[in-house]
């Protein structure tokens, strides 16, 4: 097994094979098919449109496929739209419901380029089907596992074990609870409530869960682009995105793809004072062109801190969304909400928050105190009220993060202390040229603010 967005888990691969066997070759023409699994119907619709643009459009399958006006913008797709399942002439990309309300699939001809495009969607958007979700889907479909990943019986976390102290279930408890349904609304509410406390927001309604950290970035991008279209019309194509500072690479790749951000991206790779000057010049020249600016505090992996106060000033002046990825620093170490600095905070819960490496999840915390944050919260709540825009985070995965994160605050304190000790020791070591750590960074004054 590898990291879920990069390597398909064995359970996912088996579910893919099962889907192709049951739903493949609908046309009866003998053309082999492949598929990609998605967690929600609207994610499947977005993936379908993406493949029609990125793969069929490049191959010139039909004029209608190449013409973007025939395809809905990915930022606007909802599962209730008539366009959610786009039946373009001659298109071989289609979607099916695998397990009602739980797993969907997009099928396409089994060609290398199509498979690579599908994998790019999975990797860059983070709208993935976890191994837990695949495992449960195979069970519901009555398909036995071809192989187990570990020698021990598959463990599913259950949220009702958490409130009483967050104790890990014993193997016997786990086996007994396997047959009991996971209360999705309760589990997700408890996790959102906990994140709201960490992020210092008044209500868990400001917290939106996603199936991965990159899915949180993608969610913020879609909502910010929707906001730009509401302000400036569809002709602006949702505005240009900005990536400020050298980020985790998939954030830049996501914003760079025309299927996700048709108006393009501006990349300020150093995130330093000169980049800030260049950014201001761009904004002055195109004051209404920008929909969202993504930055990391600090950056991954070089731990550089941008001037977040200046970025906030510019976001307010030019009315774009300031989205901050705080995965490295996390909610407990930096205040991005009550300080009013960020409009939305995107976090991978897979890493420090979960802390065990057995669950993948993400979150968007929207700032209820900024106009842009208020707009995004209303936008995301509106999508959910229409039965769409569901988190895509599988209930047992949410339960695992809830269970694992009971001691997150204590672990965070230990991590802060031990990492500083290690950084100090390495910085004095004769064989170490440089240590990348906020304390030793040339941006330390910005971090300390």
């Amino acid at each position: 097994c590898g990291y879920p967005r990069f390597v398909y888990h064995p359970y996912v691969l088996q579910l893919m094979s099962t889907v192709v066997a049951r739903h493949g070759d609908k046309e009866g023409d003998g053309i082999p098919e492949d598929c990609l699994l998605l967690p929600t119907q609207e994610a499947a619709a977005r993936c379908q449109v993406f493949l029609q643009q990125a793969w069929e459009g490049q191959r010139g399958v039909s004029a209608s496929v190449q013409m973007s006006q025939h395809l809905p913008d990915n930022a606007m797709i909802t599962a209730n739209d008539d366009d959610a399942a786009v039946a373009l002439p001659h298109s071989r990309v289609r979607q099916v419901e695998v397990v009602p309300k739980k797993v969907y699939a997009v099928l396409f001809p089994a060609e290398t380029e199509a498979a690579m495009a599908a994998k790019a969607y999975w990797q860059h958007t983070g709208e993935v089907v976890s191994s837990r979700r695949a495992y449960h889907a195979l069970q519901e479909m009555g398909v036995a596992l071809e192989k187990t990943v570990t020698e021990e019986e598959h463990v599913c976390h259950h949220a009702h074990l958490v409130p009483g102290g967050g104790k890990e279930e014993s193997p016997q408890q786990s086996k007994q609870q396997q047959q009991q349904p996971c209360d999705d609304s309760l589990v997700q509410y408890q996790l959102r409530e906990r994140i709201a406390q960490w992020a210092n927001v008044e209500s868990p309604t400001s917290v939106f869960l996603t199936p991965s950290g990159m899915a949180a970035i993608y969610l913020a991008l879609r909502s910010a682009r929707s906001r730009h279209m509401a302000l400036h019309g569809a002709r602006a194509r949702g505005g240009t995105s900005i990536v400020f500072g050298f980020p985790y690479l998939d954030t830049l790749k996501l914003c760079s793809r025309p299927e996700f951000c048709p108006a393009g991206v501006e990349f300020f790779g150093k995130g330093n004072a000169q980049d800030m000057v260049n950014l201001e010049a761009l904004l002055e020249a195109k004051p209404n062109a920008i929909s969202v600016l993504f930055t990391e505090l600090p950056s991954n992996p070089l731990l550089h801190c941008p001037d977040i106060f200046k970025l906030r000033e510019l976001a307010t002046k030019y009315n774009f969304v300031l989205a901050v990825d705080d995965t490295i620093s996390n909610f407990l170490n930096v205040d991005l909400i009550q300080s009013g600095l960020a409009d939305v905070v995107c976090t991978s819960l897979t890493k420090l928050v979960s802390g065990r490496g057995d669950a993948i999840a993400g979150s968007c915390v929207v700032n209820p105190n900024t106009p842009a944050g208020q707009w995004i919260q209303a936008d995301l709540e509106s999508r959910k009220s229409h039965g769409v825009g569901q988190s895509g985070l599988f209930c047992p995965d949410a339960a695992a993060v809830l269970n694992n994160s009971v001691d997150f605050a204590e672990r965070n304190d230990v991590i802060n202390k031990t990492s500083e000790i290690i950084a100090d020791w390495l910085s004095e070591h004769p064989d170490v040229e440089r240590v990348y750590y906020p304390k030793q960074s040339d941006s330390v004054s910005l971090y300390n603010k």
Side-chain angles (χ1 to χ4, degrees), residues 234-360:
R235 287 188 177 183
R237 298 184 297 171
T240 301
S241 61
I242 291 176
V243 176
F244 193 81
F246 196 86
Y248 178 69
L249 193 56
D250 279 326
T251 299
L252 180 59
K253 288 182 176 179
L254 177 72
C255 294
S256 298
R257 294 209 61 135
E259 301 88 356
F260 301 133
C261 197
V265 63
E266 296 286 347
F267 179 40
F268 298 86
K270 294 183 178 179
N272 56 14
Q274 185 57 54
D275 272 357
M276 191 69 75
V277 171
N278 297 337
L279 172 61
E280 285 195 81
L282 171 68
L283 293 170
E284 289 175 5
K286 301 178 179 180
N288 297 317
I290 308 304
S291 58
V292 59
L293 184 148
F294 287 101
T295 193
E296 296 176 351
L297 190 76
S299 65
N300 178 10
L302 299 182
L303 302 182
H304 176 81
C305 296
D307 189 344
I308 193 72
F309 295 91
K310 183 63 176 179
L311 291 177
R312 175 70 265 166
E313 177 187 325
L314 294 174
T316 301
K317 180 177 180 180
Y318 293 100
N319 198 21
F320 60 79
V321 174
L322 180 54
V324 181
D325 184 340
D326 75 336
T327 298
I328 298 299
S329 55
N330 83 64
F331 318 101
L332 299 178
N333 291 330
V334 293
D335 174 19
L336 294 167
I337 298 295
Q338 289 301 319
S339 63
L341 292 172
D343 296 309
V344 57
V345 176
C346 305
T347 309
S348 171
L349 306 177
T350 310
K351 303 170 181 69
L352 291 173
V353 174
S354 180
R356 268 189 55 171
D358 68 347
I360 183 170

Side-chain angles (χ1 to χ4, degrees), residues 77-155:
I77 290 176
T78 67
N80 284 351
D81 285 346
D82 292 336
D83 289 334
V86 184
L88 294 175
H90 309 295
S91 175
R92 289 301 305 266
V93 182
R94 57 193 177 87
Q95 56 175 292
V96 297
E97 187 177 53
V98 179
V99 177
K101 307 298 183 183
K102 291 184 179 180
V103 180
Y104 298 80
V106 172
L107 287 95
F108 49 86
E111 298 182 15
T112 300
E113 290 183 357
M116 290 176 62
K119 185 64 174 294
Y121 185 90
W122 178 283
Q123 178 177 334
H124 300 330
T125 69
E127 294 191 311
V128 302
V129 166
S130 69
S131 58
R132 276 191 185 84
R133 189 188 291 261
Y135 169 84
H136 281 261
L138 288 168
Q139 280 195 322
E140 290 195 35
M141 297 169 74
V143 179
L145 293 179
E146 293 175 352
K147 63 176 181 178
T148 55
V149 176
T150 63
E151 295 181 359
E152 297 180 359
E153 187 173 357
H154 181 84
V155 174

